[in-house]
Amino acid sequence: MTLNSPALRKRSAGRTRRLTTQVPTSNLENRIENSRTGVRMASDDVAQLADSLAKTQVGEGELSYKGQGLKLNDAQSAEEIVKAIQEFKGLQALRLEGNTVGVEAAQAIAKALEHKSDFQCCYWSDMFTGRLRSEIPPALNSLGAALITAGARLKVLDLSDNAFGPDGVKGIEKLLKSTACHTLQELRLNNCGMGVGGGKILAAALAECHKKSSELGAPLSLKVFIAGRNRLENDGATALAQAFQLMGSLEEIHMPQNGINHPGVTALASAVQHNAQLRVLNLNDNTFTKKGAIAMAQALKHLRSVQVINFGDCLVRSEGAIAIAEALTDGLPILKELNLSFGEITEEAALAVAKAVERKDQLEKLDLNGNCLGEEGCQNLRELMQNMNMEDMLGSLSDDEGEPEEDDDEDDDEEEEEEEDEEEEEEDDEEDEEDEDIDEEEENEEEGEDEPSKPSQMSTPPSASRPPDVSSFLCFPSPDKLLRLGNKRAELIQQQVDVADVGKTVEAFLKISSVYKEDDPEVKTAVLESIDAVLRKMFSLPSAQTFSFISSLLVMLGLLKSEDKVKPVAVVAGHLQCLEHAVKQDYFPREHIAVLHAFMARPNKSLETCVSARDSLRSTLQSLQPES
C-alpha cells in the first residue's frame, strides 16, 4: 500500500484535521512529503503511524501520550511533548501513563505547564517505570510547582502505580496544600508504596488543604479517594480517617490490601459516618475481625447512599456478618453490590445476610463465596435466594471452605484475642517511647502503673472511644454480653443510645428486651434496669416525641403498617414482658395506654408465638386504663 492511495489519504486527512494546532506534525509532514516523491512505506509502518496519531489526542481539552512507552530522559527527548503543550490552547488534561519520565524531562514539561491556567486533570499513573526512587520526588516537585504557578484548579490527580514510597508523597505535599488542589475531586494513589509514613503525610496535607480552602469559603470537597496496596496499616488508616471526617464529602473510598486491622477499621468506620454521600466502600483484603466488622456495621446504619460494599477477604467472621445483616435491614436502601466473600462466615450468618437483602430492590450481586457454609449450607442459601426470586444475584459458591470444626472456632477466637493483645502491647510500647523523649520522669511514673497508657495522637476519632462492649451488645445482643457490662450497664447503655432519635430508641428497646429471661433474676434485673434508664431519659426530654415512639414501636412489632416498608422484628416474649414492665412505670405517658391496649386486643399473627406474654400485657394495659 502506498501513502498516496485514496483510502489512506482520506483516513490520514481525517485524523490530521482532528489534531490541528494540538499536536506537532513536522515529522509527519516530512514522511508524507517523502511518500509523494515516490518513497513507499511498509503497511505496518503506516498502521503504526496511524495508531500513534489516534493515541495522541483523545478528547476535547486533553493531550494524551498514554501507553506509548516513551523514554523521556532529558529536555531534548521531551521536545515534542513540550511543543504540543505550548501550542494547545485551553489544555485541561495531560495523559502520560505508561511512559517513563526523568527529572530533566519533567522539568521541561513543567515549564510548559506554567502558562496553562485552564489545567484540571493529571493522568500521571505508571510514568516512572525503571526510574530510581530518588528521581521521582524532584520530578513531582517540578510538575506540582508549575501547576501552582499556572493558577490551575485541579479536579483529578492520578499518580497510581508509581512506587515512590513516603518520599514521593513529600514530592506532592506542597501541591496538595496549595490553592491548586482546593478544587480537587479525585485523588488516585493506588499501588504507590506510601507506607504508614506516607499515609500520615498525605492525611496532614489533605487536612491542611481543607483548612485553608475553608478559610476562603470553598472547602475542599474530595469525592473519590483511591489508595489500595499501600501498606497504610492502622496508623496510616487512622490518620486518613481523621482527614475523611473533616472533609465529609467522599463518594468513593477504595483502600484494599493495606494491612489494616480492627483499630484502623474502627477509625475508618467513625469517619465514613460523616460522609453522607458515600456510594462505594472498598476495603477488600484487610483484617476486620469481629471488632472491626461490628464497628463498620454500626457506621453503615448512618448511610443511605451506599451502592457498593466490598468487604471480601476481610475476615468479618459470623458475628460481624450478622451485625452487617442488621445494618442492611435498617438501612442501605439502594445497595447494588455486597461482597462478604472469604470471611469465615458460617451458614447461620450467611442466611441472615441473605434475608437482610430481600427488600433491596436495586441489588445486583451478593458474593458469599469462600466462606464456611458446608455443602448443606450452600444448598440452603441457594434455596433461600431462590424463594426470594433473587437466585440470579447470588455469586458462585465454588470456593466454599466447608463447615468449620468447633475446635477451629475456639482456636480462631483465641488467636484473635492474642493478636489484639499483641497490638495493644505494641501501641503501649510506642507510646512509652514517645513519653520517654518528652519527659523521663513522666515515663517512670507510667512504668509503675498497671493500667494501659492513654491513646496517642493517632488514636481513633472521639466517636470510636465509646465502650466497645456496649456497641457489641446493641449490635448482637446476648444475656452474657449484657451481664459482662458490669453494674454500670444501665448508665453505659443510656449514654450510648441517642434518645433524641425515636427510631434508635425503639431499636435499643427491642434489642435489650430480646434477651429478657423471666426465670433468670440476674438477667431480668439487668434488662429492666437498662430499659428504665433509656426510656426514662427519652420520655423526660422536653422535645420528646412520645406518640412517634409508640407508633414506631407498633410498626417494629408488626402491629401497624408503615409507608416506608419497614421490616418488623421477630417478636419474642421478652419484647412484650418488658413493655408490660415499662407501662407500669411513672415515666410512661398515661395517654398512650389506651392506644397500646387497642392494638394488643386485635388478633395479629406477629404475636402468635408469645400468646401468654401478650395476654398478660393486655390485662395490665386494661387495668391501667382510667375508668369510664
Side-chain angles (χ1 to χ4, degrees):
M1 178 192 294
T2 66
L3 204 59
N4 282 322
S5 67
L8 187 56
R9 279 204 307 272
K10 183 177 180 181
R11 203 180 322 153
S12 297
R15 283 176 177 150
T16 305
R17 277 197 300 273
R18 288 210 315 271
L19 303 173
T20 52
T21 76
Q22 284 92 8
V23 180
T25 56
S26 55
N27 289 341
L28 276 173
E29 288 168 355
N30 290 337
R31 295 177 75 175
I32 292 172
E33 184 61 31
N34 288 339
S35 72
R36 285 175 178 161
T37 58
V39 177
R40 301 173 66 88
M41 296 173 62
S43 59
D44 57 342
D45 273 350
V46 177
Q48 186 177 358
L49 176 59
D51 186 55
S52 180
L53 275 168
K55 286 179 179 177
T56 305
Q57 175 65 31
V58 177
E60 185 178 354
E62 180 180 283
L63 180 62
S64 175
Y65 294 89
K66 181 179 179 180
Q68 294 190 25
L70 302 175
K71 294 181 180 179
L72 308 174
N73 298 319
D74 49 32
Q76 185 177 358
S77 61
E79 277 182 357
E80 283 197 21
I81 294 178
V82 169
K83 187 176 181 182
I85 293 171
Q86 290 171 338
E87 295 178 354
F88 200 130
K89 295 181 180 179
L91 179 65
Q92 295 179 6
L94 176 62
R95 288 189 173 274
L96 293 174
E97 309 105 307
N99 299 291
T100 177
V101 182
V103 176
E104 290 183 21
Q107 290 170 343
I109 292 170
K111 192 70 177 175
L113 288 171
E114 285 181 356
H115 306 286
K116 300 299 174 181
S117 59
D118 296 327
F119 198 79
Q120 297 177 356
C121 303
C122 308
Y123 297 108
W124 297 344
S125 64
D126 189 24
M127 72 169 194
F128 296 113
T129 304
R131 298 290 168 184
L132 296 174
R133 181 171 288 189
S134 59
E135 293 182 80
I136 301 175
L140 291 174
N141 268 317
S142 298
L143 293 165
L147 297 177
I148 296 171
T149 300
R153 292 292 182 267
L154 294 184
K155 290 183 178 179
V156 179
L157 178 58
D158 184 357
L159 288 166
S160 297
D161 300 316
N162 290 309
F164 48 50
D167 290 341
V169 184
K170 291 179 183 177
I172 58 171
E173 185 179 8
K174 187 176 179 182
L175 172 63
L176 288 171
K177 291 180 178 179
S178 74
T179 55
C181 284
H182 286 188
T183 51
L184 194 64
Q185 295 180 12
E186 297 183 21
L187 179 58
R188 301 170 180 267
L189 297 169
N190 202 57
N191 191 31
C192 289
M194 289 189 288
V196 173
K200 290 181 177 180
I201 296 168
L202 176 61
L206 290 173
E208 180 72 11
C209 183
H210 182 268
K211 179 184 175 183
K212 289 183 177 178
S213 58
S214 296
E215 290 171 355
L216 295 175
L220 170 66
S221 297
L222 191 69
K223 290 180 169 56
V224 177
F225 180 84
I226 300 176
R229 300 183 66 185
N230 273 290
R231 295 302 306 175
L232 294 169
E233 300 181 6
N234 290 330
D235 282 354
T238 300
L240 286 166
Q242 293 169 348
F244 295 167
Q245 185 165 325
L246 275 177
M247 293 184 290
S249 56
L250 287 166
E251 295 178 7
E252 295 186 27
I253 297 174
H254 301 263
M255 297 174 67
Q257 295 183 357
N258 269 295
I260 306 171
N261 299 326
H262 75 82
V265 173
T266 301
L268 289 170
S270 298
V272 298
Q273 295 182 43
H274 297 271
N275 289 263
Q277 301 306 311
L278 190 68
R279 294 184 296 103
V280 179
L281 182 57
N282 176 9
L283 296 175
N284 186 282
D285 201 9
N286 290 292
T287 307
F288 283 36
T289 61
K290 179 178 68 178
K291 282 188 176 181
I294 288 174
M296 191 59 72
Q298 285 291 91
L300 291 174
K301 291 182 179 181
H302 298 274
L303 302 172
R304 308 289 296 175
S305 301
V306 174
Q307 298 178 19
V308 178
I309 296 173
N310 187 345
F311 296 160
D313 207 13
C314 283
L315 207 64
V316 298
R317 298 221 168 109
S318 295
E319 285 188 84
I322 290 173
I324 292 169
E326 292 184 0
L328 288 167
T329 302
D330 297 337
L332 305 172
I334 59 172
L335 186 68
K336 291 184 178 180
E337 294 184 22
L338 174 62
N339 184 349
L340 294 177
S341 60
F342 300 93
E344 291 191 2
I345 300 170
T346 57
E347 178 187 353
E348 180 186 1
L351 293 176
V353 171
K355 290 174 184 175
V357 301
E358 181 177 5
R359 298 190 180 185
K360 304 304 173 189
D361 299 334
Q362 298 186 35
L363 190 73
E364 297 173 0
K365 185 177 180 181
L366 173 63
D367 190 348
L368 289 167
N369 196 19
N371 284 299
C372 306
L373 311 186
E375 187 175 343
E376 184 178 349
C378 288
Q379 184 59 34
N380 291 338
L381 178 59
R382 291 189 188 97
E383 288 178 1
L384 176 59
M385 294 295 286
Q386 187 173 7
N387 292 338
M388 296 189 300
N389 294 319
M390 301 176 76
E391 63 270 23
D392 293 341
M393 299 168 194
L394 181 63
S396 169
L397 299 174
S398 60
D399 295 318
D400 187 75
E401 299 284 346
E403 294 183 54
E405 298 290 336
E406 290 184 11
D407 291 342
D408 290 344
D409 288 341
E410 293 173 4
D411 290 345
D412 287 340
D413 292 338
E414 289 172 5
E415 285 174 13
E416 183 178 336
E417 288 174 6
E418 287 173 5
E419 286 171 7
E420 290 166 1
D421 290 342
E422 286 173 6
E423 287 168 6
E424 289 171 4
E425 286 173 9
E426 287 173 7
E427 289 170 4
D428 290 344
D429 290 342
E430 289 173 5
E431 288 157 10
D432 288 342
E433 287 173 11
E434 291 173 7
D435 292 338
E436 184 178 0
D437 292 338
I438 296 169
D439 190 339
E440 286 186 9
E441 289 182 7
E442 189 175 312
E443 185 257 359
N444 289 333
E445 289 174 3
E446 287 180 3
E447 281 182 352
E449 294 175 359
D450 293 331
E451 295 181 0
S453 57
K454 293 181 180 179
S456 68
Q457 61 179 351
M458 295 311 299
S459 62
T460 58
S463 56
S465 63
R466 295 172 178 171
D469 289 340
V470 177
S471 297
S472 175
F473 167 72
L474 289 175
C475 207
F476 190 52
S478 72
D480 182 57
K481 284 183 181 178
L482 180 62
L483 295 178
R484 279 194 280 121
L485 292 178
N487 294 330
K488 293 186 177 181
R489 65 180 71 85
E491 182 183 348
L492 292 173
I493 292 173
Q494 178 215 70
Q495 291 172 355
Q496 179 88 350
V497 178
D498 181 6
V499 294
D501 187 318
V502 169
K504 291 178 181 177
T505 308
V506 170
E507 179 186 5
F509 171 81
L510 294 172
K511 291 286 183 67
I512 298 166
S513 59
S514 70
V515 303
Y516 179 87
K517 288 185 176 183
E518 182 68 32
D519 57 354
D520 188 329
E522 189 178 10
V523 173
K524 178 179 178 179
T525 300
V527 169
L528 296 181
E529 286 178 351
S530 300
I531 282 173
D532 285 342
V534 171
L535 294 187
R536 188 181 297 278
K537 184 178 179 181
M538 192 273 289
F539 284 126
S540 66
L541 291 176
S543 58
Q545 301 175 356
T546 59
F547 184 77
S548 293
F549 173 83
I550 297 299
S551 59
S552 295
L553 180 61
L554 291 170
V555 168
M556 294 307 297
L557 291 173
L559 303 176
L560 181 65
K561 289 185 178 179
S562 170
E563 295 179 358
D564 297 329
K565 297 182 179 180
V566 175
K567 187 175 182 179
V569 298
V571 181
V572 296
H575 293 145
L576 304 184
Q577 289 166 325
C578 290
L579 183 56
E580 182 180 358
H581 166 82
V583 298
K584 291 187 287 188
Q585 307 309 307
D586 58 2
Y587 58 72
F588 197 90
R590 299 293 99 185
E591 62 268 25
H592 299 320
I593 298 294
V595 175
L596 282 174
H597 181 264
F599 277 93
M600 288 299 158
R602 296 177 182 177
N604 195 295
K605 290 183 178 180
S606 66
L607 305 182
E608 287 179 355
T609 58
C610 39
V611 175
S612 178
R614 179 202 64 189
D615 291 345
S616 179
L617 172 58
R618 186 166 58 190
S619 176
T620 298
L621 290 168
Q622 176 66 38
S623 67
L624 290 172
Q625 290 192 78
E627 295 182 6
S628 57

